[in-house]
Amino acid sequence: MIEKIDHIGVAVQSIDKALGLFRDVLELELGGTEEVATQKVQVAFLKVGETRLELLEPTQEDSNVGKYLASKGEGIHHVALKVDNIEAALAQLKAQGVRLINEQPVPGAHGARVAFLHPKGTYGMLLELVEKK
Ligand code: ZN
């Protein structure tokens, strides 16, 4: 079902400021930035070999990432797993009793379709499933 880790999401107060480390000091290649309106975030992807870091800056304080920053501060927010067929993966997980945040895929960055699993059922780790076109 899972192909690989697609990316690791990192919640930051400011993408511009965080690029000072990730792009300028660690010399990771910036793959682009994009606003994901459904999640109320601005995202920036940095390539790390086969996988990527996804910097997440909230565009609104009441977004999930905005609330996360307010309660936990900056840091690793989620791990995204690439799947071939997100509907099939969600159906399989649901049938096995895994708690889902999104029962249906929602639009993610770069035209991908994504769905989050509830961290209460995944040992405290927010997992995102990603299906790319
Ligand atoms: Zn993500």
Side-chain angles (χ1 to χ4, degrees):
M1 174 166 49
I2 312 280
E3 295 178 8
K4 65 170 188 172
I5 291 180
D6 184 79
H7 63 265
I8 295 169
V10 182
V12 299
Q13 298 283 2
S14 162
I15 284 175
D16 275 349
K17 195 163 167 241
L19 286 177
L21 172 71
F22 293 107
R23 180 191 57 198
D24 302 338
V25 177
L26 297 178
E27 299 182 342
L28 299 175
E29 184 188 336
L30 179 62
T33 60
E34 179 180 341
E35 184 171 345
V36 183
T38 53
Q39 310 285 338
K40 301 178 190 168
V41 286
Q42 185 78 26
V43 302
F45 281 102
L46 295 138
K47 289 185 191 171
V48 188
E50 282 277 290
T51 185
R52 297 171 300 162
L53 290 181
E54 177 189 49
L55 304 181
L56 303 149
E57 176 188 326
T59 54
Q60 291 181 38
E61 281 181 19
D62 69 346
S63 61
N64 286 329
V65 175
K67 289 181 203 158
Y68 183 91
L69 281 173
S71 69
K72 297 193 173 162
E74 294 176 303
I76 292 180
H77 178 260
H78 65 271
V79 173
L81 303 172
K82 184 172 184 291
V83 297
D84 181 47
N85 181 333
I86 196 165
E87 272 94 0
L90 286 170
Q92 186 178 333
L93 292 170
K94 192 177 177 185
Q96 291 179 88
V98 176
R99 204 164 145 193
L100 308 175
I101 292 176
N102 305 110
E103 301 228 341
Q104 297 297 326
V106 296
H110 305 306
R113 297 192 308 143
V114 307
F116 287 90
L117 313 187
H118 202 289
K120 289 213 166 122
T122 55
Y123 298 90
M125 179 166 58
L126 180 59
L127 289 176
E128 176 185 21
L129 302 181
V130 183
E131 180 196 302
K132 306 237 174 110
K133 281 178 187 167

